[in-house]
Amino acid sequence: METELKLVSTADGSNTIWNEQIGEHYHSKHGALQESRHVFLASGLHYFLEWNSANTVNILEVGFGTGLNFLLTADYCSSRKISLNYTGIEAFPLSDELIISTGYEAFVADDTWQAFKNRYAAALASRTDIGENSWLEIAHTELLKFGTQQSYDVLYFDAFAAIHQPEMWTENALAHCCQFLKKGGVFVTYAITGNLKRIMKALGFEIEKAPGAPGKREMLRAVKL
């Protein structure tokens, strides 16, 4: 599969990966960095912390990919002395070499990058520390096969678009991952469709249309009731 993956630059100068087999980039071509910061950090993590004075945050990500969302989250939490427990679900993990080639060290503290680079492989096998007060586990499995006793405060839903991976956006798939979200937990994704809104309402979420990242007018944020 690695032969079908190509590192490409996006409009804000940050890199992403083009997946030839899927026919999609891992991040927005309008800017990988700004999409990650806007959709997942600002609209997800920051939103949760505005309403919760937590010193520990538990995050679940569907579609770990390049690790950019984790890196930015870990860097933010580290700078504010917030303990982070982060679980990523990734059916097709990238190689160490491809992860290192992204150039994401330019966007986070050196300690954060070095810890991630050195322990990425270990995190694919089990929960491992990534710097001070930050733990990462990457579940190498398909979404519907994922299980855990952990419950989460924020869910980053970063699967490929429904046009390319419709099975990730079904009520069954969304219900499966959302069961791990705590009451009052925040679900965020870059997408918003009528079908997605209907599913999230049916699953017991209060939904909100939030401003989208560059290239998208709106995105979905939902809070578990």
Side-chain angles (χ1 to χ4, degrees), residues 38-205:
H38 177 87
V39 175
F40 301 106
L41 272 288
S43 302
L45 176 63
H46 297 178
Y47 179 84
F48 173 78
L49 292 173
E50 281 177 17
W51 301 97
N52 300 271
S53 56
N55 56 16
T56 298
V57 64
N58 301 314
I59 295 180
L60 176 64
E61 179 177 21
V62 176
F64 186 81
T66 64
L68 179 57
N69 294 333
F70 167 73
L71 282 165
L72 296 177
T73 299
D75 203 49
Y76 179 88
C77 289
S78 176
S79 69
R80 287 156 179 79
K81 309 300 181 186
I82 298 170
S83 294
L84 173 66
N85 294 301
Y86 198 107
T87 302
I89 303 173
E90 180 54 66
F92 302 100
L94 299 178
S95 67
D96 290 54
E97 292 76 17
L98 204 49
I99 288 285
I100 292 169
S101 74
T102 58
Y104 293 158
E105 66 269 24
F107 311 127
V108 296
D110 186 61
D111 287 351
T112 301
W113 172 255
Q114 292 298 330
F116 175 63
K117 182 181 72 170
N118 294 335
R119 297 170 192 171
Y120 170 70
L124 282 165
S126 63
R127 183 175 181 266
T128 188
D129 62 296
I130 307 289
E132 188 176 358
N133 296 322
S134 181
W135 289 267
L136 172 64
E137 180 176 7
I138 306 167
H140 181 186
T141 186
E142 296 173 6
L143 174 57
L144 291 176
K145 295 179 180 178
F146 172 76
T148 181
Q149 297 300 310
Q150 177 71 59
S151 56
Y152 298 91
D153 303 301
V154 184
L155 199 165
Y156 295 167
F157 197 84
D158 200 14
F160 286 122
I163 192 172
H164 298 295
Q165 279 194 323
E167 70 278 7
M168 297 295 288
W169 299 84
T170 64
E171 184 169 358
N172 191 32
L174 289 161
H176 182 75
C177 62
C178 287
Q179 71 178 302
F180 305 115
L181 197 59
K182 297 176 184 176
K183 182 179 179 180
V186 178
F187 172 101
V188 284
T189 187
Y190 60 86
I192 187 165
T193 65
N195 188 54
L196 178 59
K197 289 188 289 183
R198 285 190 293 272
I199 290 173
M200 296 306 293
K201 282 183 179 179
L203 292 175
F205 283 76

